[in-house]
Amino acid sequence: MKQFLLSPLLHALLLPTCLADVSSAPSENVRWCVISWPEHRKCQALAAKAPMFSCVKRASPVDCIQAIHAGEADAVTLDAADIYLAGLENYKLKPIIAEEYGPASNTCNYAVAVSKRGSVFGIRDVAGKRSCHSGKGAAGWYAPITTLIELGILRYDADEDQNMEAVVGRFFSSSCIPGAQSHQLCKSCKGDCSRSHHEDFYDCRGAFRCLVEGSGDVAFFSHLSLPGSVLEAAHSRKEHEQANYELLCKDNTRSPITDYQRCHLSKVPAHAVVTRQDLHLAELIWQSLDTVRGFNLFSSEGYTPTSKNLMFRDSTVKLVQLPANIDSYVYLGAKFLSIVRSLNRGNNKHDHQANAWSYFASLFSVVRPKAIRWCAVGKHEIRKCDEWSIHSMLTGEQHIECNEASSVEECLRMILSNEADAVTVDAGEMYTAGQCGLVPAMVEQYDEVKCGIIGATASSYYAVAVVRKDSGITWANLRGKKSCHTGYGRTAGWNIPMAIIHKEINDCDFTKFFSSGCAPGAPISSSFCSQCEGSSRVLDDIDKCRPNKEEKYYGYGGAFRCLVENAGDVAFIKHTTVEENSDGKGPQWSMHVFSNEYELICPRQSHPVPITEFESCHLGVSPAKAVMTRPEIHQDVVSILQEQQAKFGRGGSDRTFSLFQSRPHNDLLFKDSTKCLQEIPIGTDYKVFLGAEYMATMASLRECSTPDLEKLCHSQPCLENL
């Protein structure tokens, strides 16, 4: 079996790189990949009703992924773990259509642990028991094993170079985990232990059958195959009735199997159809499925007496077309990806003859990093980052590596896709990152006294509106004026003031309120780009209105500069910005700017007030900027940043580089006013960090617009509460 499975993998690795771009020529035929003869019979029955389909048989999901990549097939439905594999660099497939399972679970699978009623153990007592798993995929492997590790029941440390299969083999007395290579993990199987229908206990239905037939004491699979569901009821036998089985909950209690929404191990994104990155092919597949008539895509009746979930899960209610620009990383979400990557740390290093999935995954496994891949926004930040990287080298090893992006949103996508590890964001950007499953790791602290206090209150700042003194502008007559913003979607510069204005005018078209402005990151055709300066190139200034430092009016200092240089009448910035860019402080452009020439306006004051009165005249309070990363490397990012600020922070041991100072541009990578970075405890929810008031502000503003990345993450409703 090992030789059979390894051969196609080696074949795929040796394929010419040009095959990565292979796509089917425009055609009316969709070649569906199937992994068993019953599935092949269903596919042929579909093709008889809908001639735009044809069928390609392969031995396993991995073989189907390889066939689609090589242009020998076009589509297959995969579970979340295989979607991750399909999206890796050597295959570059993408999900295009998701299964939906009805209002109760939408596009979520609940990974559950099931046992027969009458057995007396809980989830904390499964060591030494016999286990049944749907396969070495999402609900049957990643969800339960990660849960057991998180609960402290299963001891595993990737840094100790342990083999996960060996660890699990010692934990259970025997198992059936289709797709495993260890004899111990295949001991309870009925067939060949492959992730195909050649193994009777494969898939969720098979894992439950393993439990029913007494080959295991506990079964791990998706709730969609629980006995008593609408689809299972028609085929239930006496021993399959709901009352005979119970769920094992994470609090070590048991619960009826109808209670899966409360009593489950974790949520897993739905199965999805994947194909090559070919928009024409993706649309052809969707249209072909959408126009099928007289054939039930979601039934496996009649192909064999016991087969289930052929081509699609029988529990599917409908198919949902995913956005064209989604990829596997956004679809799966950072939390599920962290589960996969965490379990793949060091996995299978001892057995390079492992099956195709585990061997291939081991090539891309996440080892504990010795360096952070920092995402720098624009050419000015990448220069500082490169300097940081050079100074961070110790005995020839880099601790900081640098990747460049054109915007924070692009950085967030790169972190999701494991192309970068960390970036500093403001609260508005954190809201988007959190929606996609990224987590806060460290926060900027602006009060030096609090730097030495463990657990000190995180910094915050006031969002203010600044005008020129004696301009006559108040909040009451602000309509029709020109505005300067730190960035489109930024906290002090956009989210807080525009949320207030939205409530006042009850209109999302802010071009009706301000005559023009500069909000870097806004659509280039918008009047909110008309006042932007760009990089002052005479011709073809591609940097105009871009959300990075190449746009002169980007960021806090940039928005204030926009006001100083008369490009706007009001600047929405933070309360310290004027002080940091006037009276001889700040970059060159601010050398002749005086703070007493500017005032604050706010809804609570009928007249402007001095800039020093920000505590009584402000628009809102925002948490400080924070470093965002993926869940599985939170502690690694914290550790490396703590080392780096000990060297290059304020009062650090190495004065050759300053982490919290930027010249000639300000606030590069971190705010120049940062005194230190403080750890945000692992597991801190971004909603808790941002606070109820700011979350309410964002909810109001999201009635008007949503960033593209956030829209993509919302296209997978399961992600929000994974």
Side-chain angles (χ1 to χ4, degrees):
M1 178 175 66
K2 293 179 181 178
Q3 184 179 4
F4 172 77
L5 288 171
L6 183 60
S7 178
L9 173 63
L10 291 176
H11 173 70
L13 292 175
L14 293 172
L15 285 172
T17 55
C18 62
L19 279 183
D21 298 319
V22 171
S23 62
S24 59
S27 166
E28 294 185 359
N29 185 263
V30 174
R31 297 166 297 173
W32 205 274
C33 195
V34 298
I35 62 170
S36 69
W37 289 117
E39 199 165 58
H40 191 258
R41 283 193 286 275
K42 178 176 178 178
C43 181
Q44 287 183 315
L46 170 63
K49 288 282 187 179
M52 70 281 292
F53 290 96
S54 62
C55 311
V56 176
K57 186 179 179 301
R58 293 293 186 269
S60 70
V62 174
D63 294 322
C64 280
I65 291 170
Q66 293 169 356
I68 295 169
H69 168 74
E72 299 165 359
D74 299 316
V76 67
T77 307
L78 300 175
D79 89 334
D82 286 323
I83 293 170
Y84 169 75
L85 172 63
L88 290 174
E89 187 68 20
N90 270 40
Y91 295 138
K92 291 185 177 179
L93 306 187
K94 59 178 287 185
I96 58 169
I97 301 165
E99 295 179 344
E100 186 171 298
Y101 308 120
S105 54
N106 207 353
T107 54
C108 280
N109 286 307
Y110 293 88
V112 293
V114 184
S115 186
K116 289 182 178 179
R117 189 177 184 183
S119 54
V120 294
F121 59 89
I123 192 68
R124 290 187 173 276
D125 310 308
V126 296
K129 298 293 189 290
R130 299 170 301 155
S131 63
C132 304
H133 304 249
S134 55
K136 206 170 177 189
W141 173 259
Y142 288 102
I145 300 307
T146 303
T147 299
L148 293 173
I149 293 171
E150 288 176 347
L151 292 175
I153 304 162
L154 176 62
R155 303 292 180 182
Y156 171 68
D157 187 344
D159 285 346
E160 294 180 4
D161 203 27
Q162 294 174 303
N163 178 277
M164 177 54 75
E165 286 202 4
V167 172
V168 175
R170 290 190 294 269
F171 183 80
F172 295 111
S173 62
S174 68
S175 301
C176 179
I177 308 179
Q181 290 299 297
S182 163
H183 170 73
Q184 185 69 9
L185 300 186
C186 292
K187 193 174 178 180
S188 296
C189 288
K190 204 169 185 179
D192 63 3
C193 196
S194 66
R195 290 186 68 215
S196 75
H197 295 290
H198 296 294
E199 170 53 61
D200 289 347
F201 293 162
Y202 168 62
D203 203 5
C204 296
R205 175 79 174 181
F208 181 53
R209 181 180 173 187
C210 170
L211 176 67
V212 169
E213 295 184 1
S215 293
D217 304 307
V218 58
F220 301 102
F221 55 92
S222 164
H223 80 287
L224 296 168
S225 292
L226 285 169
S229 70
V230 173
L231 288 163
E232 295 291 336
H235 310 287
S236 65
R237 295 176 291 175
K238 185 176 181 180
E239 66 269 28
H240 288 192
E241 292 174 357
Q242 293 183 21
N244 291 337
Y245 300 92
E246 292 177 315
L247 301 177
L248 307 186
C249 309
K250 288 200 285 188
D251 62 3
N252 212 39
T253 63
R254 287 184 171 227
S255 194
I257 60 173
T258 53
D259 195 24
Y260 59 83
Q261 287 184 303
R262 183 195 66 84
C263 177
H264 58 265
L265 306 182
S266 67
K267 288 183 180 180
V268 176
H271 290 209
V273 177
V274 303
T275 190
R276 294 179 293 281
Q277 296 186 30
D278 181 329
L279 293 179
H280 169 79
L281 179 58
E283 187 60 27
L284 173 64
I285 293 167
W286 168 252
Q287 291 297 334
S288 298
L289 289 169
D290 194 44
T291 55
V292 170
R293 299 292 181 268
F295 185 86
N296 190 345
L297 290 170
F298 314 133
S299 172
S300 302
E301 286 291 312
Y303 301 104
T304 69
T306 59
S307 291
K308 293 292 174 187
N309 305 323
L310 303 178
M311 298 182 66
F312 299 95
R313 293 197 65 85
D314 295 347
S315 311
T316 306
V317 173
K318 66 177 182 178
L319 298 175
V320 180
Q321 186 175 25
L322 298 172
N325 54 343
I326 202 168
D327 57 32
S328 60
Y329 304 106
V330 173
Y331 178 78
L332 295 172
K335 186 166 184 180
F336 179 77
L337 290 171
S338 75
I339 292 173
V340 176
R341 291 167 179 152
S342 294
L343 283 194
N344 284 334
R345 280 184 169 184
N347 198 24
N348 299 305
K349 290 179 181 177
H350 306 287
D351 183 9
H352 275 203
Q353 300 300 309
N355 67 47
W357 205 108
S358 57
Y359 176 64
F360 191 88
S362 73
L363 300 179
F364 291 85
S365 63
V366 182
V367 295
R368 192 166 295 280
K370 295 180 180 178
I372 297 173
R373 293 169 298 172
W374 198 269
C375 192
V377 181
K379 63 184 180 183
H380 298 308
E381 283 206 347
I382 196 68
R383 285 174 189 152
K384 179 178 178 180
C385 188
D386 285 341
E387 186 181 354
W388 181 15
S389 177
I390 292 169
H391 284 84
S392 77
M393 290 187 70
L394 186 65
T395 63
E397 284 189 353
Q398 282 182 306
H399 290 263
I400 301 296
E401 299 172 3
C402 303
N403 292 331
E404 184 178 0
S406 61
S407 66
V408 171
E409 183 169 308
E410 185 181 346
C411 279
L412 298 179
R413 289 199 68 145
M414 290 172 67
I415 294 170
L416 275 171
S417 62
N418 199 20
E419 298 172 38
D421 297 322
V423 66
T424 308
V425 300
D426 86 338
E429 295 155 341
M430 179 188 287
Y431 182 88
T432 297
Q435 296 274 299
C436 296
L438 298 181
V439 297
M442 300 197 84
V443 60
E444 295 179 342
Q445 176 59 258
Y446 309 128
D447 184 348
E448 193 163 3
V449 174
K450 294 181 178 179
C451 283
I453 303 174
I454 298 175
T457 304
S459 287
S460 59
Y461 61 85
Y462 295 97
V464 297
V466 179
V467 297
R468 287 181 291 275
K469 193 172 185 178
D470 301 326
S471 65
I473 297 175
T474 67
W475 191 269
N477 65 17
L478 196 57
R479 186 188 286 266
K481 302 300 188 291
K482 297 178 294 182
S483 57
C484 301
H485 307 262
T486 59
Y488 187 73
R490 294 281 297 271
T491 297
W494 185 270
N495 295 339
I496 290 178
M498 297 316 229
I500 295 173
I501 292 170
H502 175 235
K503 289 180 180 178
E504 288 182 358
I505 67 176
N506 196 30
D507 194 331
C508 288
D509 186 357
F510 299 121
T511 62
K512 295 177 182 177
F513 189 86
F514 291 112
S515 62
S516 60
C518 178
I524 191 64
S525 58
S526 165
S527 60
F528 283 109
C529 282
S530 62
Q531 298 301 118
C532 290
E533 182 72 11
S535 56
S536 299
R537 295 199 308 181
V538 177
L539 298 173
D540 187 29
D541 193 348
I542 60 174
D543 296 318
K544 183 179 176 70
C545 205
R546 295 184 75 173
N548 60 46
K549 290 290 184 178
E550 277 70 73
E551 165 55 62
K552 288 185 177 180
Y553 295 161
Y554 174 71
Y556 300 110
F560 181 46
R561 183 179 184 179
C562 168
L563 174 66
V564 168
E565 296 181 355
N566 294 310
D569 303 308
V570 59
F572 298 107
I573 49 183
K574 65 181 292 186
H575 70 283
T576 61
T577 303
V578 175
E579 177 192 352
E580 293 164 357
N581 294 274
S582 61
D583 304 328
K585 291 179 287 185
Q588 186 62 39
W589 65 264
S590 66
M591 286 299 100
H592 301 291
V593 176
F594 299 97
S595 60
N596 61 8
E597 297 175 347
Y598 297 90
E599 298 176 307
L600 303 179
I601 62 172
C602 56
R604 297 177 297 281
Q605 302 278 2
S606 58
H607 301 287
V609 301
I611 62 168
T612 54
E613 296 186 19
F614 53 81
E615 289 188 14
S616 62
C617 184
H618 59 263
L619 308 182
V621 181
S622 170
K625 296 185 73 173
V627 176
M628 296 297 285
T629 188
R630 296 185 302 280
E632 78 273 13
I633 58 169
H634 173 282
Q635 215 53 46
D636 304 322
V637 169
V638 169
S639 297
I640 293 173
L641 283 179
Q642 286 174 335
E643 293 171 0
Q644 291 299 297
Q645 73 171 348
K647 289 182 65 177
F648 305 123
R650 296 185 186 276
S653 60
D654 190 332
R655 301 300 179 89
T656 61
F657 175 75
S658 180
L659 199 56
F660 306 131
Q661 283 187 329
S662 308
R663 293 289 183 271
H665 302 275
N666 57 348
D667 299 333
L668 298 178
L669 305 180
F670 303 96
K671 279 198 61 58
D672 293 349
S673 56
T674 303
K675 300 300 187 290
C676 67
L677 298 174
Q678 291 183 308
E679 179 179 358
I680 300 173
I682 191 167
T684 301
D685 188 274
Y686 76 99
K687 296 176 185 176
V688 174
F689 180 86
L690 293 176
E693 183 179 347
Y694 191 79
M695 289 298 295
T697 295
M698 294 304 297
S700 172
L701 207 57
R702 286 300 182 260
E703 295 177 18
C704 296
S705 63
T706 303
D708 289 341
L709 178 58
E710 215 171 295
K711 288 177 184 176
L712 287 178
C713 293
H714 285 172
S715 69
Q716 167 50 300
C718 186
L719 291 186
E720 184 175 353
N721 296 308
L722 273 181

